[in-house]
Amino acid sequence: MTGLDELPVRDDLRGKTPYGAPQVQDVIQLNVNENPYAPSAALVADLQRAVGQAGLTLNRYPDREAVHLRTSLASYLGDRTGVALSSDQVWAANGSNEVLQQVLQAFGGPGRTALGFEPSYSMHPILAAGTGTRWVGVPRQPDFTLPAELAVAAIEQHAPDVVFVTSPNNPTGTVTSLEAIAAICAAAPGMVVVDEAYAEFAAGPSAVTLLASHPRLLVSRTMSKAFALAGARVGYLAASPAVVDALRLVRLPYHLSALTQLVARIALARTHELLATVELVKQQRDRMVREIEGLGLTVVPTDANFLLFGPFADPPVTWQRLLDRGVLVRDVSSGPGLAGWLRVNAGTEPETTAFLSALEEVMQ
Amino acid sequence: MTGLDELPVRDDLRGKTPYGAPQVQDVIQLNVNENPYAPSAALVADLQRAVGQAGLTLNRYPDREAVHLRTSLASYLGDRTGVALSSDQVWAANGSNEVLQQVLQAFGGPGRTALGFEPSYSMHPILAAGTGTRWVGVPRQPDFTLPAELAVAAIEQHAPDVVFVTSPNNPTGTVTSLEAIAAICAAAPGMVVVDEAYAEFAAGPSAVTLLASHPRLLVSRTMSKAFALAGARVGYLAASPAVVDALRLVRLPYHLSALTQLVARIALARTHELLATVELVKQQRDRMVREIEGLGLTVVPTDANFLLFGPFADPPVTWQRLLDRGVLVRDVSSGPGLAGWLRVNAGTEPETTAFLSALEEVMQ
């Protein structure tokens, strides 16, 4: 039997392992920042009805331009941010990972550089590697904040083709101010991507409000978190129509299935209902912050649906002891600048209670 | 307003236009090789029932490994080809385009070369460009066949890292013999991809039967055609487990949505029903061959659900005249070696009748 090491895979892939958190069954899953509230029976009934119609034309290719979905996304994002958006300013793909991969295919690639502020979403450098884009990871402040001066100095030093700013940042929960993002846009010689996967959980305004004054700004979002659709794989971005045209040059034709377009539109029609779950999640997050601090631990200030807590002398041991008590959190401690920390996302009230009880036991 | 030409897109994208056939409404669509038979009411009812369950967990990420789907695909492909396959020999993604993009990310890329025999599926060179892989297009014989000697000589000359063989070939319908494919595998220094998107419409055996003796062979398939699921975007391949491991290194995490995995499994559970539509399509294809030849035109021998017909002095004019009569076919005449030809796929009996009547009018 031929082994992987005998195949002519690219040299930069040799010895790598696939990205992904451990998938463990029959435990409380607080490790991948999902929305713990399942879609409502009413939403699922809407979906069933719609599938009854759409299923009958699945032999046909889907709308390659996903016009209806992009119109709905533009409407949602416009309502949410107060910025009027049209469908030609919005692009969608199979999760924000695919959106960001397309951004790097269009604006990064061989001979080009992408820069991010670490620790941050670990897929950004992986997507850079997968598209042949050189990656520069610039350390954040020790408290994980990103002051404008730090960001601008790094941009001036490295002149990157693409800058990534994750806000709220994953895995730290840290928000970057709009002033800093505007300064980054002014300094950047190329494109600036603000990854707002967790924006709905944050108190402050969106970088979408900066689009009109910064034509090389892209703001990416996902329906995996606030819209509770991680299983449906829908990411999107807002940018200038010219940026969307550029992404059209690299997207795979018919990349977004008819069912994906359908389920996203059905969820968007129930925005009010889904954003109500965001409020519940934020309540549990705020409770977690208070109670974890009550145990004598530190929590990094967070505007997301998750938080970093610690420090632990041996995070993998704490991770395992929590798992032994039926709660799965994320061990991020091997990441840049993350020694000592674990990440956990807010669950439902009972899930959060179970986590807090397990943590209290582990801390004794 | 910033235009696309003012953005720092990659130089190799400048001046390009997005891939894709014209999408025209309210005409008979025989231009993208879809299965003209819609999913049955019974299949759609199965899907609705399943969505009623699966919808309730869409807040969770899907199975990153798509194990159930890959098991079903292995079982189908094994039954169909007589080759016992396990799920670790099968990989799936959002359409065969994404499968092939992953293959090029793992085994092609900057500094590497992919080679194909043209005319063929025009996405292969586009996928090569999108992954920074150098493309070498080698002309087929004037009759579009691919003799082993021609293929082997080209491989010896160019030493490509990845070889593509489309069989039945798109847009010509031409089958490449297993003997030629075995010779290609023996000669190729790297990976060999046999793109069998249209295999279910062909009479001969599948290259899957060569897998055991050629560890660097990959056979890609799609559910878009025989399984009438173009709208659901499901492509897959069979290869050695080591090849699947390599693809896992470049796939985006959770690339395949829960709904995509679901609809594919539901269709596979109705394989018998869907392969019955393949027989109907083949009947209409054979009828089209006879009747087009009866109009004094030439049809390239085909084993797919489509055919090349011509020659026409001015194919775009004939294309427009057919469209004026409500039938959309594919103008492929600008492709390499395709001057004078149009492509049409078999429709239902009434659709095929409408096409043949329109063509007869146009020919008068």
Side-chain angles (χ1 to χ4, degrees):
Chain A
M1 182 97 94
T2 305
L4 177 53
D5 51 357
E6 295 164 71
L7 288 178
V9 293
R10 294 191 58 76
D11 289 340
D12 51 345
L13 295 173
R14 293 204 178 278
K16 292 267 175 81
T17 52
Y19 174 93
Q23 291 190 308
V24 184
Q25 301 304 313
D26 301 321
V27 295
I28 294 175
Q29 317 238 357
L30 302 177
N31 65 326
V32 286
N33 300 344
E34 292 160 338
N35 189 323
Y37 293 97
S40 68
L43 191 157
V44 173
D46 287 353
L47 181 58
Q48 283 186 291
R49 263 190 301 278
V51 163
Q53 280 301 309
L56 296 169
T57 56
L58 280 176
N59 58 316
R60 301 294 174 184
Y61 281 98
D63 174 15
R64 208 163 50 210
E65 295 294 332
V67 171
H68 290 301
L69 171 58
R70 286 163 55 214
T71 302
S72 299
L73 288 167
S75 170
Y76 161 70
L77 204 54
D79 289 349
R80 185 82 185 162
T81 61
V83 177
L85 293 170
S86 62
S87 63
D88 64 354
Q89 291 174 274
V90 172
W91 183 246
N94 294 289
S96 66
N97 286 336
E98 190 179 40
V99 173
L100 299 178
Q101 178 172 268
Q102 291 168 340
V103 169
L104 287 167
Q105 285 183 298
F107 299 105
R112 295 197 171 196
T113 300
L115 180 151
F117 303 97
E118 298 183 333
S120 190
Y121 182 40
S122 55
M123 276 303 296
H124 294 162
I126 293 172
L127 292 167
T131 56
T133 313
R134 188 172 78 97
W135 178 257
V136 176
V138 174
R140 289 170 170 256
Q141 299 276 78
D143 68 355
F144 305 124
T145 58
L146 179 58
E149 317 81 71
L150 187 163
V152 168
I155 289 167
E156 288 176 349
Q157 181 185 346
H158 297 285
D161 300 283
V162 182
V163 175
F164 285 95
V165 180
T166 316
S167 181
N169 189 41
N170 178 8
T172 67
T174 317
V175 162
T176 298
S177 71
L178 286 196
E179 292 70 27
I181 290 171
I184 288 167
C185 290
M191 311 304 289
V192 176
V193 180
V194 180
D195 184 338
E196 287 194 350
Y198 299 95
E200 283 90 347
F201 302 98
S206 164
V208 167
T209 58
L210 300 175
L211 282 177
S213 41
H214 297 283
R216 288 177 284 101
L217 172 63
L218 294 70
V219 183
S220 71
R221 293 262 183 138
T222 180
M223 296 188 73
S224 294
K225 313 297 178 179
F227 280 87
L229 281 189
R233 316 305 302 120
V234 185
Y236 58 104
L237 65 71
S240 75
V243 170
V244 172
D245 282 342
L247 300 180
R248 219 175 247 123
L249 296 176
V250 298
R251 60 94 179 103
L252 300 178
Y254 313 107
H255 64 293
L256 213 47
S257 88
L259 292 176
T260 302
Q261 296 183 41
L262 190 72
V263 67
R265 290 173 62 199
I266 283 168
L268 285 161
R270 289 182 172 271
T271 293
H272 185 74
E273 168 185 325
L274 289 157
L275 291 185
T277 70
V278 168
E279 292 309 309
L280 296 174
V281 169
K282 285 163 67 180
Q283 286 169 18
Q284 293 306 312
R285 174 199 65 195
D286 293 343
R287 171 189 169 208
M288 287 169 89
V289 172
R290 286 193 306 274
E291 300 199 20
I292 295 172
E293 289 179 342
L295 295 172
L297 291 165
T298 299
V299 177
V300 176
T302 179
D303 259 292
N305 66 337
F306 57 82
L307 53 82
L308 270 193
F309 65 110
F312 297 100
D314 194 343
V317 167
T318 306
W319 180 87
Q320 183 62 54
R321 293 178 69 197
L322 288 168
L323 184 57
D324 292 343
R325 286 159 181 80
V327 181
L328 183 62
V329 304
R330 186 69 161 267
D331 178 11
V332 296
S333 63
S334 62
L338 290 167
W341 297 99
L342 292 173
R343 193 191 72 188
V344 65
N345 65 264
T348 60
E349 182 171 11
E351 288 171 345
T352 303
T353 301
F355 161 71
L356 290 166
S357 302
L359 182 62
E360 190 172 0
E361 269 186 48
V362 165
M363 293 293 294
Q364 273 164 2
Chain B
M1 181 97 94
T2 304
L4 177 52
D5 50 357
E6 295 164 72
L7 289 177
V9 293
R10 294 190 59 74
D11 291 338
D12 50 347
L13 295 173
R14 292 204 178 277
K16 291 267 174 81
T17 52
Y19 174 92
Q23 292 190 310
V24 184
Q25 301 303 314
D26 302 320
V27 294
I28 294 174
Q29 317 238 356
L30 303 177
N31 66 325
V32 287
N33 300 343
E34 291 160 337
N35 188 322
Y37 293 97
S40 68
L43 190 157
V44 173
D46 286 354
L47 181 58
Q48 283 186 292
R49 264 191 300 278
V51 162
Q53 280 300 306
L56 294 170
T57 55
L58 279 176
N59 59 316
R60 301 294 175 185
Y61 281 98
D63 174 14
R64 208 164 49 210
E65 296 293 333
V67 172
H68 290 300
L69 171 58
R70 286 162 56 213
T71 303
S72 299
L73 288 167
S75 170
Y76 161 70
L77 204 53
D79 289 349
R80 184 83 184 162
T81 62
V83 178
L85 293 170
S86 63
S87 63
D88 65 354
Q89 292 173 272
V90 172
W91 184 249
N94 295 290
S96 67
N97 286 335
E98 190 179 41
V99 172
L100 298 179
Q101 178 171 268
Q102 292 168 339
V103 169
L104 286 168
Q105 285 183 299
F107 298 105
R112 295 198 171 194
T113 300
L115 179 150
F117 303 97
E118 299 184 331
S120 190
Y121 182 39
S122 55
M123 277 303 295
H124 293 161
I126 292 173
L127 292 166
T131 57
T133 313
R134 189 172 77 97
W135 177 258
V136 175
V138 174
R140 289 171 170 252
Q141 298 275 79
D143 67 355
F144 306 123
T145 59
L146 180 58
E149 316 82 69
L150 187 163
V152 168
I155 289 167
E156 289 176 349
Q157 181 186 345
H158 297 285
D161 299 283
V162 182
V163 175
F164 285 95
V165 180
T166 316
S167 182
N169 189 42
N170 177 7
T172 67
T174 317
V175 163
T176 298
S177 71
L178 286 196
E179 292 71 26
I181 291 172
I184 289 168
C185 289
M191 311 304 288
V192 176
V193 179
V194 180
D195 184 338
E196 286 193 351
Y198 300 94
E200 283 90 347
F201 301 98
S206 163
V208 167
T209 57
L210 300 175
L211 282 177
S213 40
H214 297 284
R216 289 177 284 100
L217 171 63
L218 295 69
V219 183
S220 71
R221 293 263 183 139
T222 180
M223 295 187 74
S224 294
K225 314 297 179 179
F227 280 88
L229 280 188
R233 317 305 301 124
V234 184
Y236 58 104
L237 65 71
S240 75
V243 170
V244 172
D245 283 342
L247 299 180
R248 220 175 246 120
L249 296 176
V250 297
R251 60 94 181 104
L252 300 178
Y254 313 108
H255 66 293
L256 213 47
S257 88
L259 292 177
T260 302
Q261 296 183 41
L262 190 73
V263 66
R265 291 173 62 200
I266 284 168
L268 285 160
R270 290 183 172 269
T271 293
H272 185 73
E273 169 185 323
L274 289 158
L275 292 185
T277 70
V278 168
E279 292 309 308
L280 296 174
V281 168
K282 286 163 65 180
Q283 285 169 20
Q284 294 305 314
R285 173 199 66 195
D286 293 344
R287 173 190 168 208
M288 287 169 91
V289 173
R290 285 193 307 274
E291 299 200 20
I292 296 173
E293 289 179 341
L295 294 173
L297 290 164
T298 300
V299 177
V300 176
T302 179
D303 259 294
N305 67 336
F306 57 83
L307 54 81
L308 269 193
F309 64 111
F312 296 101
D314 193 344
V317 167
T318 306
W319 179 87
Q320 184 62 55
R321 292 179 70 196
L322 288 167
L323 185 57
D324 293 342
R325 285 160 181 79
V327 182
L328 183 62
V329 303
R330 186 68 161 267
D331 178 11
V332 296
S333 63
S334 63
L338 289 167
W341 297 99
L342 292 173
R343 192 190 74 188
V344 64
N345 66 264
T348 60
E349 182 172 9
E351 288 171 345
T352 303
T353 301
F355 161 71
L356 291 167
S357 301
L359 182 61
E360 190 172 0
E361 269 186 47
V362 165
M363 293 294 293
Q364 273 164 1

